[in-house]
Amino acid sequence: MTDVIGKLTAEQALEIVERLCRKGGDIRDAVVAEAMNLLTEFSLDDIAQEVFDALDLIDVQDCFDQAESSHEGDTSPREAALDIFEEELQPFFDQVERYHELGMGEQEATYCMAVVLGIYRFVHESKSEFKKLAAEIPADCAGDLLEEWRERNPAQGGIDAMYAFIRERCPKWANWLKDE
């Protein structure tokens, strides 16, 4: 019975955490503190690597298969590539949004930087056949993420820090940036 926690499903563990939070007091405070610790303990380079790996593992054949299996036959392999690419990136984009919703601006910016760096590395380092089919899709997705982040974070100091990061870590994309 001592390993009961290790035997819980993710849903059961979440239910326990929610029950403990509803009890309030010191237990709730401890759970919230641990949640905040978990949300702040990530490495920009580790997240960039996760993004790179997720994209690098996309199989180009999936694009052709998805295009062939479309019900009306009007999906091109390129359109399928866009769908698959966005699907792989969505969890990372969602995490950027969650940081914003929690008012964790520093983590939001850092996580956004990590995702952009992972996409940049995919564009410039991957040997994937998918990359050839995807063409400008990665850069467009990175640009969309940056634009969404900027709309939510209009403070010039944050924008300057993001642009400095892009210039330093993603130099081939520095021409995207407006001098403001």
Side-chain angles (χ1 to χ4, degrees):
M1 191 81 138
T2 58
D3 192 29
V4 69
I5 300 298
K7 300 293 183 190
L8 296 173
T9 66
E11 293 82 16
Q12 290 167 329
L14 177 60
E15 177 65 25
I16 289 170
V17 169
E18 289 173 345
R19 287 180 187 183
L20 290 172
C21 283
R22 284 193 296 268
K23 289 184 181 208
D26 291 341
I27 291 175
R28 181 188 185 288
D29 294 345
V31 169
V32 169
E34 282 305 309
M36 293 301 288
N37 287 339
L38 180 68
L39 288 171
T40 58
E41 293 173 355
F42 68 88
S43 157
L44 184 147
D45 289 314
D46 288 348
I47 299 302
Q49 185 65 46
E50 286 180 34
V51 171
F52 175 88
D53 289 343
L55 299 176
D56 200 46
L57 290 174
I58 297 173
D59 186 349
V60 72
Q61 188 59 45
D62 291 343
C63 299
F64 297 115
D65 292 346
Q66 186 172 322
E68 285 178 16
S69 69
S70 70
H71 295 293
E72 296 176 23
D74 59 357
T75 300
S76 71
R78 189 187 178 306
E79 291 169 324
L82 175 61
D83 291 343
I84 292 168
F85 198 83
E86 288 177 341
E87 184 178 304
E88 288 299 321
L89 285 177
Q90 195 61 54
F92 299 104
F93 282 33
D94 290 348
Q95 186 60 46
V96 173
E97 178 67 25
R98 279 191 291 277
Y99 282 121
H100 178 74
E101 290 169 356
L102 290 167
M104 299 174 74
E106 182 180 332
Q107 288 77 18
E108 177 189 8
T110 303
Y111 204 90
C112 182
M113 290 173 185
V115 175
V116 169
L117 179 59
I119 297 170
Y120 181 85
R121 286 190 49 224
F122 173 75
V123 168
H124 297 286
E125 298 173 20
S126 176
K127 306 289 187 237
S128 166
E129 288 294 314
F130 172 79
K131 184 175 82 168
K132 294 173 187 164
L133 179 64
E136 72 280 350
I137 292 171
D140 289 346
C141 288
D144 290 346
L145 176 62
L146 280 173
E147 185 59 34
E148 291 170 14
W149 174 84
R150 185 169 179 206
E151 287 173 10
R152 290 190 306 257
N153 298 281
Q156 194 61 48
I159 292 169
D160 292 345
M162 182 66 75
Y163 287 3
F165 173 83
I166 299 296
R167 285 185 191 97
E168 178 183 332
R169 300 286 302 267
C170 308
K172 292 179 181 174
W173 286 354
N175 62 333
W176 290 355
L177 308 176
K178 298 175 189 170
D179 290 324
E180 297 180 19

